[in-house]
């Protein structure tokens, strides 16, 4: 067995390929010591940990306001994650995510939204309306129960899939 | 039997006394009222709740969210006067078709309840409705909870551990008295032991 090992020709050492984070995540970071006033337009994702005042236009990309970020801006983006302070209106063609660390004041127009309990919000939320699915018409249900002043539990039913408290 | 969180398959929702899921008749009627107007404006001043935002997104044009519980908590922690939080509800008069007050009145003293009612009356449209809940004296826990609305108006309570608010435990007559500027539309005693009220501004 030992002889067999001696015959093995060691492979030449190859330096490991350098990790190129830029190819993995094309994202620009505005650091916490940076203050920008004006218009930001871009075609790659952006993480703001600094201060930005003005407007942010990145209709095909993801904007993240990090925990140290302070943004006072009109935002147009594909998706937006708010984990810091944002004052202004957000227009997202996709999803807006608001974490419990967020402090948001403004209007949100989006296709969908997720909000964590504990987020500090003063918001107007306008979601893209899907056609009314099979909402049990409340009028009919109310008729059934109106005669009874106390709440009567309905038949056992499972919560909708969207009942996860973090995401829809 | 009211379904528990376990029955509903929710691992993140608590079980036990005071946390039984129930069907909210007040919310049914409230949603019915909102759905009459396709351009409806709703104000929710309860704890921020993902599911409720989703629930009402299809029923109103604009859903205004202003969590007064977290603002109240912040004031109390700093020892600052509560009365200043009402400045946050600086909406134009007669703006809303409906206001979800939840059990905020149960967390305030009489003076602040009076101010809450005055502000709500001012920003609610004539004909608009407000949902109020009080815990009464049958709830053992003073824990602040959000009312998570599910399918078929099934409501589950979810603890809000980041909120530490006093609970006054108001009674039926207290609510009717404090809401005297409004007309009582309906009231319901719910299985977990608290009361739901629907008031209308005339």
């Amino acid at each position: 067995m030992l002889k067999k090992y001696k015959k093995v020709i060691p492979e030449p050492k190859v330096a490991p390929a350098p990790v190129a984070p830029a190819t993995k995540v094309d994202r620009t970071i505005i650091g916490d010591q940076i203050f920008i006033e004006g218009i930001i337009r871009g075609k790659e994702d952006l993480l703001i940990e600094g201060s930005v005042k003005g407007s942010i236009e990145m209709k095909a990309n993801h904007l993240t306001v990090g925990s140290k970020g302070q943004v006072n801006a009109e935002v147009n983006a594909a998706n937006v994650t708010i984990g810091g302070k944002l004052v202004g209106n957000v227009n997202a063609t996709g999803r807006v995510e608001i974490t419990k660390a967020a402090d948001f004041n403004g209007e949100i127009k989006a296709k969908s939204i997720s909000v964590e309990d504990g987020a500090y919000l003063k918001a107007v939320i306008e979601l893209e309306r899907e056609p009314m699915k099979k909402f049990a018409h409340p009028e009919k249900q109310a008729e059934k129960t109106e005669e009874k002043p106390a709440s009567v539990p309905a038949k056992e039913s499972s919560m909708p899939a969207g009942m996860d408290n973090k995401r829809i | 039997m009211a379904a528990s969180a376990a029955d509903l398959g929710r691992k993140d929702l608590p079980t036990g006394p005071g946390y039984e899921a129930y069907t909210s008749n007040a919310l049914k009627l409230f949603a019915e009222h909102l759905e009459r107007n396709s351009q409806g404006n709703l104000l929710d001043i309860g704890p921020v709740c993902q599911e409720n935002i989703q629930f009402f997104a299809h029923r109103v044009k604009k859903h205004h969210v202003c969590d007064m519980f977290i603002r109240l908590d912040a004031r109390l922690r700093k020892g600052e006067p509560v009365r200043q939080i009402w400045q946050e509800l600086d909406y134009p008069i007669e703006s809303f078709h409906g206001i979800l007050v939840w059990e905020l009145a149960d967390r305030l003293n009489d003076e602040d309840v009076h101010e809450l009612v005055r502000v709500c009356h001012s920003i609610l449209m004539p004909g608009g409705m407000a949902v109020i809940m009080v815990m009464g004296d049958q709830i053992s826990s003073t824990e602040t909870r959000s009312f998570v609305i599910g399918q078929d108006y099934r409501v589950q309570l979810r603890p809000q551990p980041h909120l530490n608010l006093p609970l006054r435990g108001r009674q039926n007559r207290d609510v009717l008295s404090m809401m005297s500027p409004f007309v009582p539309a309906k009231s319901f005693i719910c299985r977990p032991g608290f009361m739901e009220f629907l008031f209308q501004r005339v």
Side-chain angles (χ1 to χ4, degrees), chain A residues 114-115 122-123 151 163 168, chain B residues 10 23 50 54 65 88 90:
Chain A
S114 71
V115 185
K122 184 174 182 184
S151 171
M163 286 295 285
I168 297 172
Chain B
R10 294 292 310 276
T23 301
Q50 151 82 26
Q54 188 65 22
V65 175
E88 299 274 357
D90 55 350

Side-chain angles (χ1 to χ4, degrees), chain B:
Chain B
M1 281 288 289
S4 68
D7 297 330
L8 294 165
R10 294 292 310 276
K11 291 177 181 173
D12 59 329
L13 292 172
T15 56
Y19 285 99
E20 300 92 342
Y22 72 101
T23 301
S24 172
N25 292 326
L27 287 170
K28 272 182 194 171
L29 297 172
F30 184 70
E32 176 191 338
H33 163 75
L34 292 175
E35 285 174 4
R36 286 193 196 115
N37 189 331
S38 61
Q39 299 298 309
N41 268 340
L42 167 68
L43 173 63
D44 184 346
I45 61 174
V48 166
C49 177
Q50 151 82 26
E51 293 87 345
N52 295 353
I53 290 171
Q54 188 65 22
F55 180 87
F56 284 108
H58 304 284
R59 291 171 165 85
V60 295
K61 171 73 174 161
K62 288 190 176 181
H63 185 175
H64 296 247
V65 175
C66 185
D67 182 345
M68 296 305 287
F69 286 73
I70 204 166
R71 285 164 170 80
L72 176 61
D73 181 79
R75 290 274 168 191
L76 294 175
R77 283 179 198 269
K78 290 178 187 170
E80 293 176 353
V82 168
R83 63 178 180 274
Q84 290 173 4
I85 64 171
W86 308 118
Q87 295 167 5
E88 299 274 357
L89 298 176
D90 55 350
Y91 300 100
I93 59 167
E94 299 181 2
S95 296
F96 299 105
H97 296 87
I99 301 178
L100 287 162
V101 181
W102 305 108
E103 31 85 89
L104 182 60
D106 242 359
R107 308 287 175 176
L108 299 167
N109 64 29
D110 290 346
E111 189 183 336
D112 290 314
V113 164
H114 180 75
E115 192 59 16
L116 168 67
V117 172
R118 186 193 67 75
V119 172
C120 287
H121 190 266
S122 162
I123 60 181
L124 196 59
M125 288 178 183
M129 298 190 114
V131 173
I132 304 225
M133 293 164 180
V134 290
M135 294 295 120
D137 54 7
Q138 293 185 38
I139 299 288
S140 55
S141 170
T142 61
E143 193 172 31
T144 308
R145 295 160 294 183
S146 59
F147 293 74
V148 182
I149 310 172
Q151 207 167 31
D152 298 330
Y153 305 95
R154 204 90 178 119
V155 173
Q156 177 74 53
L157 306 184
R158 185 162 67 218
Q160 301 292 299
H162 60 285
L163 299 174
N164 182 20
L165 299 172
L167 181 68
R168 314 282 171 181
R170 293 179 194 281
Q171 303 299 311
N172 184 49
R173 61 183 177 279
D174 302 326
V175 178
L176 294 174
S177 169
M178 79 187 191
M179 294 296 287
S180 57
F182 294 85
V183 173
K186 285 281 177 188
S187 66
F188 301 95
I189 299 168
C190 304
R191 191 174 290 275
F194 55 85
M195 290 170 283
E196 294 183 331
F197 297 83
L198 205 52
F199 287 94
Q200 188 158 33
R201 182 183 166 178
V202 288

Side-chain angles (χ1 to χ4, degrees), chain A residues 86-104:
Chain A
L86 173 53
V87 177
N89 298 329
V90 173
N91 201 335
T93 50
R95 183 177 187 80
V96 172
E97 294 186 0
I98 301 175
T99 74
K100 62 185 175 188
D103 179 354
F104 176 77

